[in-house]
Amino acid sequence: MSRKRSRLAHEEEMSSKLLEAGSGEVANGGSSLERSSQTSSDLTQSLRMAAPFSTDPEAVAERERISYGRIPRAVAISGTASRKVRVYSDGIYDMFHQGHARQLQQAKTVFPNVYLIVGVCSDQLTHSRKGRTVMTEDERYEAVRHCRYVDEVVRDAPWEYDEEFLEKHKIDFLAHDDIPYTTEDCEDTYAMIKAKDMFVATERTEGVSTSDIVARIVRDYDIYVRRNLARGYSAKELNVSFLNEKKFRLQNKMDELKDKGKKVMTNIGEKRVDILTKWEEKSRELIDAFLLLFGPDGRLSNIWNESKGRLMQALSQPPSPRSSPPPSENGDPPSPSPTHRGSASPPPPKSRRCDALWEQQAGNWMDRALTVLGNRKRPYNAS
């Protein structure tokens, strides 16, 4: 955490230096005013246009305009030089990231008035010395020249330096991190520069490098392949086999289904109160309808009672007509019984008649069962 705070403080200090260089102060007469106004104009131009290449007319005119004589370090630090201090910084700058930009910012603000020249190595030199790059040399050139701290870009920059290269580009100082870069011929590529007191050290940004970014991509290879397949890239463009393509596309579909399920659950969570209220109302309606249909006073009970009555009536036989008693010996009609008093006797109740029929039928079934059992127990008659 303290390292992060110190780094941020350092960046704020460098930004303030840029602002001071851009605004200028009228402290040393007309020459100081001209330098500050020129610096402000250069800053405005760098924000509007990309930095020129060293072979472009703008860069050539700037180089020919000055008379080259290396500016001493003390003069450069004090900001009293008669021209801009030409600082050179180089690198591969593959997958240009914040670490590169901060390194160039440090090189731009190492002195009060700096003209920053950045060298970018070609693909052939980089592949032979350091390994394969993700971006091509043209892509790396364009990435660097669009950084606002850069004033000029040198294409096909050398891996090692000599006096001829320094004089050609009229370089006063060289900015790089202080880690020694070894080659087959020497232990430190910057040994000659350091011996001439032309080296200014910059700091690396911790945790950020092209190798770290490539390692992340390799680690999450499947995720990035699936991402590009979903965005319309073909398996051939991604160098993916047929089976792996189908596997990745299936995984994408599964992820889509998961996302849809999460969205549905989220929507349900937002509307759960309304859903519970509606469910409670519907459940009450269902319970009322059930009781209306299956309750003790419901429709099915009434239908069952009516059907039961009709069934009992259908099963009961109608009463047979009662025969009249024979006449008396003297020919007088028989006198009515005291119990009937001139009216026919009422039929027995339906339940009694049904019971009688049921007993009669049960008796018939018992007789048949005994008959069958008796036939089974009858001995075999050989004759």
Side-chain angles (χ1 to χ4, degrees):
M1 201 65 186
S2 59
R3 288 182 179 179
K4 186 176 181 181
R5 282 197 295 268
S6 62
R7 189 181 68 198
L8 292 175
H10 184 60
E11 291 176 1
E12 290 177 0
E13 182 182 354
M14 289 188 292
S15 299
S16 64
K17 288 182 181 179
L18 280 174
L19 293 174
E20 290 174 3
S23 61
E25 294 179 0
V26 185
N28 298 321
S31 61
S32 176
L33 180 60
E34 288 178 7
R35 285 197 301 270
S36 60
S37 61
Q38 181 66 29
T39 303
S40 300
S41 176
D42 292 342
L43 285 173
T44 304
Q45 185 177 4
S46 67
L47 294 176
R48 292 181 179 178
M49 300 175 60
F53 293 114
S54 59
T55 55
D56 291 345
E58 301 92 330
V60 174
E62 174 67 21
R63 191 163 53 248
E64 292 178 350
R65 187 178 61 82
I66 63 173
S67 59
Y68 182 56
R70 288 175 189 161
I71 299 174
R73 185 182 293 268
V75 176
I77 293 173
S78 64
T80 58
S82 60
R83 61 173 175 82
K84 291 183 177 181
V85 180
R86 294 174 67 87
V87 177
Y88 178 82
S89 181
D90 66 345
I92 310 301
Y93 301 108
D94 190 23
M95 302 180 70
F96 192 86
H97 51 73
Q98 59 188 18
H100 296 142
R102 286 172 177 165
Q103 188 265 335
L104 296 178
Q105 183 189 31
Q106 294 175 54
K108 181 70 174 177
T109 58
V110 69
F111 302 120
N113 190 15
V114 171
Y115 182 87
L116 182 59
I117 307 167
V118 180
V120 183
C121 300
S122 64
D123 284 347
Q124 182 179 1
L125 181 61
T126 304
H127 296 169
S128 63
R129 293 296 188 99
K130 198 170 184 178
R132 187 174 181 83
T133 57
V134 177
M135 300 169 66
T136 64
E137 58 184 24
D138 292 331
E139 292 170 340
R140 293 185 284 113
Y141 297 154
E142 289 297 321
V144 171
R145 72 189 293 248
H146 282 83
C147 177
R148 66 174 180 166
Y149 308 116
V150 179
D151 296 306
E152 182 181 326
V153 174
V154 177
R155 291 176 288 193
D156 194 12
W159 202 266
E160 300 175 5
Y161 316 100
D162 53 19
E163 192 67 33
E164 180 185 357
F165 179 81
L166 298 176
E167 291 181 357
K168 176 184 178 181
H169 295 281
K170 299 183 178 180
I171 297 171
D172 295 313
F173 293 93
L174 194 147
H176 206 277
D177 61 79
D178 204 15
I179 301 174
Y181 276 71
T182 60
T183 61
E184 296 178 356
D185 302 329
C186 63
E187 294 183 358
D188 189 1
T189 305
Y190 303 103
M192 185 263 289
I193 303 296
K194 292 177 181 178
K196 291 177 176 290
D197 194 26
M198 297 174 60
F199 186 84
V200 288
T202 57
E203 296 179 0
R204 282 176 169 266
T205 302
E206 296 181 5
V208 181
S209 68
T210 302
S211 299
D212 292 338
I213 295 174
V214 172
R216 273 185 257 166
I217 295 173
V218 173
R219 181 190 62 196
D220 300 328
Y221 166 80
D222 289 3
I223 296 174
Y224 292 113
V225 171
R226 289 165 53 189
R227 168 184 176 271
N228 282 8
L229 285 174
R231 295 192 174 190
Y233 284 83
S234 65
K236 184 178 180 180
E237 291 173 322
L238 298 174
N239 195 24
V240 175
S241 66
F242 176 80
L243 293 178
N244 283 335
E245 178 193 6
K246 299 304 177 186
K247 180 187 75 173
F248 292 142
R249 292 192 184 278
L250 178 61
Q251 290 174 343
N252 286 342
K253 291 293 183 184
M254 295 300 295
D255 288 345
E256 289 178 8
L257 292 175
K258 289 180 182 178
D259 293 338
K260 289 181 180 178
K262 290 180 180 178
K263 290 179 181 179
V264 170
M265 294 303 296
T266 302
N267 293 334
I268 290 176
E270 293 175 354
K271 300 177 180 179
R272 61 183 181 274
V273 177
D274 296 337
I275 292 175
L276 290 175
T277 303
K278 292 180 180 179
W279 174 255
E280 186 177 359
E281 294 176 356
K282 290 293 182 182
S283 63
R284 289 176 181 175
E285 294 178 2
L286 290 172
I287 292 172
D288 293 341
F290 182 84
L291 293 176
L292 182 63
L293 189 62
F294 296 98
D297 298 329
R299 297 176 183 175
L300 285 181
S301 297
N302 295 334
I303 293 172
W304 169 252
N305 292 332
E306 293 177 359
S307 301
K308 182 180 178 181
R310 293 176 183 175
L311 181 63
M312 298 294 289
Q313 186 177 1
L315 290 175
S316 62
Q317 296 180 356
S320 58
R322 191 175 182 84
S323 59
S324 58
S328 59
E329 295 179 358
N330 57 4
D332 294 333
S335 59
S337 173
T339 57
H340 293 86
R341 296 185 179 179
S343 62
S345 60
K350 291 183 179 180
S351 58
R352 192 179 301 168
R353 282 180 281 169
C354 290
D355 294 341
L357 289 173
W358 175 255
E359 292 177 358
Q360 181 180 359
Q361 189 66 27
N364 294 334
W365 287 344
M366 289 294 295
D367 292 341
R368 292 178 184 176
L370 292 174
T371 303
V372 171
L373 291 174
N375 292 335
R376 287 181 179 179
K377 293 180 179 180
R378 184 179 299 173
Y380 176 72
N381 189 359
S383 62

